[in-house]
Amino acid sequence: MGADEQDTQTVVRIRDLRVAYTGESGSTPVLNGVNLDLRAGMTTALVGASGSGKSTLALSLMRLLPRDVEVSGTIERIWLTHQANLLAFPEWRLRGIRGEEITMVFQSPGAALDPVMRIGSQMREAVGACSGYSRRQMREIIAALLADVELDASVARAYAHELSGGMQQRVMIAMAIANNPDLLIADEPTSALDVTVQSRIIALLKRLQREYGFSMLLITHDIAVAAQVADEIAVMSQGRIVECGARAEVLEHPQHALTRSLVSAARALSLEPMDKV
Amino acid sequence: MTTAPAKMTNNADAPLLAARDLRVTYSRRGGGTCVAVDGVTFEIARGETLGLVGESGCGKTSLGRALLGLIPVAGGNVTFDGQPIEQLRSTVLRKFRRRAQLIFQDAAASLNPRMRVGAIVADPLRVHGMARGKAARERVEATLAQVGLDVALINRYPHELSGGERQRVDIARALVLDPEFLVCDEPVSAVDACTRVALLDLLRSLQRAHQRSYLFITHDLAAASRMCDRVAVMQAGRIVELGATDRVLSNPQHPCTRQLRSAVPTF
C-alpha cells in the first residue's frame, strides 16, 4: 500500500492556511495553519465538532469566503504538468475551477436547490447553459446523470419540494459530478438524512468515486461516517488538524484526546454486527 | 361529555397510556386522503420507554402528536391514565397537557428566538399558572441544573447557544412541569455524536430518577438500543414489529427492522 500511496497524485495541497473573520470586535481566527494533501481518487474525511473550522476550510477551497476575511498560506491546485496557488487566482480564473474542477455537495439540499425552478433547469445550469449542447443532447445528458444517481428521468420535471431529502441530495450529487470534477467536497452530505437513507447516499458517493475517479473531501462530525468511506481521516479542532492518517490507523490507535472521544462516542452509538439475519 | 370525574384515576398496574386502532389521516389538496397512521395499537407502562423506530415519512411524528391530542385522530382512541383523551375538556384537559409533554427534534426551530432561556423554560409554568416570580425562577434554575445547563445561561437567547445546549433547553422546557409522560421526537438527531451520547444518557437518567414514561421516536436503532425497554418498528403507518429491545435487535423478524438494523454502522 505504501508504494501506491506515494505514486498517487496530489490534486490539492494546502499549506499553512490561516483564515480569520474580521469584524468590529477585531479578528477571530478560524483556521490556524492547516496543512492537508488531497490525493487523486482518494477520500479524505475531515472530522471535527461544529465550529472547528471544517466548513471554512471547504469554502476556502472553493474561494467562496466572505469578503471580510484575512487569508494567508497557500492552496496549491496541482494538475498533471503544472500547479498554481488558488488563493492568488483572480476571480475570472476561478470560473473554470468552481463547479467544474472542484464541486461541492451541501448539508441541506432543500436549501441549496432553487424552490421555483424545475430540477432539470437547475441541472442544465450545472452542466453549463452555454456549453453548446442541443436541447435533445442536454435532455439525454440530464437523464444519464439522474440514472447515475439512481433517479428516474422524470425527476427532471419535478420541483425540489416534491422530492424527499434523500432524492434532493441525489440531485445535488448529480449536479456535482456533471462536469467530471477532480475534487468533490461533500459538506455533511448525510447529516440531515435518516440512517437508512444515509447509508445509501454514502454507498452512492463511493460508487461514483470509483466510476468517475474524483478525489473526495468528506466533511462530517460523525467519525462513524468517516469510518465507512474514508481512505484518510483528518481530525480538526479549533482551526488546526490535530491528527491525520490512514483510516485504520486513526480509528484503531487514536493519538489525540479529541479523536479518542469521537471514536468512543461512535462506538457507543453502534451495534454489534448482526450474526443472524 | 363533561361527566368525566375531575380527578384522574391513579391505578398503578394499568398502563399509563394505551392507543387502540389509532388512525391519523390528512386530506390531500385536490381531494383524497393520505393515511399517516393506519390502525395502531400499543400500550406504554408507567416508567417504561417505548421506542418508535422507522424511516422518515412512516408516520412516527403523526403518531406521537396524536398521542398528545395535538392533532385530531380519524379513528380509534388514546387513553391516558384510564381516560380517553379525546373526551377531555377544560380543566381536565389542561391537567393532561401538564402531565404529557413533547421534546422536539430541532430545538433551533422550536425555541422562540426572541425569548431568553429563562423565559422559555418559565413559559409552561406561566401558561399552567403553576408558579410566578421568585418561585418560578427557582424552579427554572433547578430544572436547568437538572439538564446539566449552567444557570448563567438563563439570560441568553437561543442563537447564543450551541446545538447541544439548545436541545437541553428544549428538554428543560418539557421537564419544568414535571410530566409523567414525554414524547421525545428525534431529540438527538440534530447534534453530533459526542453530544448525542451525552443527551441520551441524560434523558435516560431523568426517566429513571422520576419513573417517567417515554415514547422515544427515532430513525436510529442504535439510539433506541441505548434508551428503550421495548421497541416498535413502524412502516407505512403500521407497527410491523414490537418487542423487547434486545430481542428486536438480536433477532429482527420483519424485513423493515432488518433494513433499519443493517443501516446502523458497525464500528
Side-chain angles (χ1 to χ4, degrees):
Chain A
M1 191 176 160
D4 285 335
E5 231 168 273
Q6 275 161 15
D7 289 341
T8 321
Q9 202 216 337
T10 300
V11 291
V12 171
R13 179 183 294 141
I14 302 169
R15 285 294 175 269
D16 198 33
L17 180 65
R18 291 167 190 274
V19 174
Y21 290 98
T22 55
E24 291 155 18
S25 50
S27 83
T28 315
V30 180
L31 297 181
N32 299 307
V34 170
N35 299 312
L36 190 65
D37 286 354
L38 304 174
R39 280 192 274 271
M42 309 260 277
T43 299
T44 304
L46 187 63
V47 187
S50 46
S52 60
K54 306 188 296 294
S55 292
T56 298
L57 180 58
L59 293 176
S60 310
L61 281 165
M62 295 285 278
R63 280 279 307 273
L64 286 173
L65 290 168
R67 260 173 238 279
D68 51 347
V69 294
E70 292 161 0
V71 186
S72 69
T74 58
I75 298 177
E76 272 191 297
R77 171 78 176 96
I78 302 168
W79 293 271
L80 276 175
T81 53
H82 61 294
Q83 58 193 61
N85 179 10
L86 288 182
L87 292 178
F89 268 34
E91 187 66 28
W92 65 270
R93 276 193 72 190
L94 292 170
R95 291 195 147 205
I97 306 274
R98 261 187 221 141
E100 306 262 336
E101 295 185 359
I102 303 180
T103 60
M104 193 156 171
V105 173
F106 296 91
Q107 173 167 7
S108 34
L113 290 169
D114 190 315
V116 296
M117 241 171 124
R118 290 183 197 273
I119 296 298
S121 312
Q122 299 186 55
M123 291 184 68
R124 204 149 52 226
E125 284 193 349
V127 175
C130 312
S131 52
Y133 292 119
S134 69
R135 288 176 72 108
R136 189 204 187 114
Q137 280 172 321
M138 190 59 99
R139 219 174 15 244
E140 279 165 9
I141 290 170
I142 288 171
L145 283 169
L146 287 171
D148 248 348
V149 295
E150 296 151 22
L151 288 176
D152 194 82
S154 65
V155 166
R157 289 200 310 277
Y159 289 100
H161 73 267
E162 297 174 298
L163 307 179
S164 71
M167 291 168 86
Q168 288 176 345
Q169 198 56 288
R170 284 172 193 267
V171 169
M172 292 300 295
I173 293 169
M175 294 201 281
I177 58 170
N179 294 310
N180 202 357
D182 291 337
L183 171 64
L184 187 147
I185 304 170
D187 190 356
E188 304 271 11
T190 61
S191 306
L193 306 170
D194 80 35
V195 254
T196 37
V197 183
Q198 208 166 1
S199 61
R200 282 181 220 138
I201 294 287
I202 294 286
L204 173 71
L205 282 170
K206 220 43 203 165
R207 173 176 68 75
L208 291 171
Q209 185 181 35
R210 274 197 305 277
E211 290 170 12
Y212 283 72
F214 51 79
S215 62
M216 181 152 68
L217 179 66
L218 178 80
I219 297 178
T220 176
H221 61 249
D222 188 353
I223 206 164
V225 170
Q228 287 175 67
V229 282
D231 300 297
E232 289 195 332
I233 296 180
V235 181
M236 199 161 187
S237 171
Q238 297 177 342
R240 280 194 189 82
I241 292 190
V242 294
E243 182 162 4
C244 183
R247 170 184 55 184
E249 189 59 31
V250 172
L251 295 178
E252 278 152 39
H253 309 287
Q255 300 297 313
H256 195 271
L258 172 67
T259 318
R260 281 199 288 269
S261 77
L262 290 170
V263 169
S264 73
R267 285 200 207 287
L269 291 170
S270 71
L271 296 170
E272 291 294 305
M274 223 184 331
D275 349 281
K276 201 171 154 189
V277 181
Chain B
M1 252 187 238
T2 46
T3 53
K7 195 169 180 286
M8 289 191 174
T9 53
N10 215 337
N11 186 347
D13 292 335
L16 180 66
L17 184 130
R20 244 180 306 280
D21 202 27
L22 193 66
R23 283 169 56 82
V24 176
T25 60
Y26 298 103
S27 52
R28 281 188 213 276
R29 204 169 31 165
T33 54
C34 161
V35 182
V37 179
D38 191 7
V40 163
T41 301
F42 63 89
E43 292 176 346
I44 301 178
R46 286 164 210 278
E48 182 189 40
T49 299
L50 176 69
L52 184 62
V53 189
E55 284 191 43
S56 41
C58 73
K60 307 186 294 287
T61 295
S62 295
L63 176 54
R65 293 188 176 201
L67 291 185
L68 295 175
L70 296 175
I71 52 174
V73 297
N77 62 59
V78 179
T79 54
F80 182 83
D81 206 1
Q83 299 240 315
I85 63 163
E86 65 270 26
Q87 289 174 14
L88 300 181
R89 291 290 180 274
S90 67
T91 52
V92 192
L93 177 64
R94 214 167 306 142
K95 192 167 177 202
F96 163 69
R97 294 219 190 282
R98 203 165 75 206
R99 296 169 71 189
Q101 288 284 315
L102 176 62
I103 297 175
F104 297 88
Q105 166 168 189
D106 184 0
S110 70
L111 301 177
N112 186 336
R114 301 182 58 168
M115 278 166 81
R116 292 175 198 270
V117 167
I120 290 169
V121 179
D123 210 34
L125 295 173
R126 183 186 62 76
V127 169
H128 289 279
M130 288 175 71
R132 287 212 234 168
K134 191 157 175 272
R137 190 174 168 97
E138 276 167 10
R139 189 132 174 202
V140 168
E141 285 178 359
T143 311
L144 289 178
Q146 241 183 39
V147 300
L149 280 177
D150 189 342
V151 176
L153 296 181
I154 210 161
N155 288 319
R156 300 282 187 87
Y157 287 99
H159 74 267
E160 299 177 299
L161 307 178
S162 72
E165 287 168 340
R166 274 200 293 265
Q167 205 62 44
R168 284 173 197 263
V169 172
D170 202 272
I171 295 171
R173 175 174 61 180
L175 288 182
V176 75
L177 295 171
D178 195 19
E180 291 151 71
F181 175 58
L182 274 162
V183 172
C184 310
D185 191 357
E186 305 262 17
V188 298
S189 303
V191 296
D192 67 54
C194 296
T195 315
R196 196 177 298 175
V197 173
L199 285 175
L200 287 174
D201 291 348
L202 170 72
L203 284 168
R204 190 73 172 142
S205 72
L206 290 168
Q207 185 259 339
R208 289 206 171 127
H210 300 268
Q211 279 300 297
R212 293 191 172 104
S213 305
Y214 284 177
L215 180 76
F216 186 81
I217 300 177
T218 179
H219 59 251
D220 183 0
L221 266 179
S225 80
R226 226 178 152 78
M227 283 295 298
C228 306
D229 304 305
R230 289 188 303 149
V231 174
V233 179
M234 200 165 176
Q235 186 185 38
R238 294 170 184 274
I239 289 181
V240 294
E241 182 160 3
L242 199 163
T245 307
D246 289 346
R247 202 281 294 155
V248 173
L249 288 176
S250 60
N251 188 12
Q253 298 295 311
H254 195 275
C256 175
T257 318
R258 281 184 215 159
Q259 195 184 22
L260 286 165
R261 179 71 174 81
S262 61
V264 174
T266 49
F267 197 77

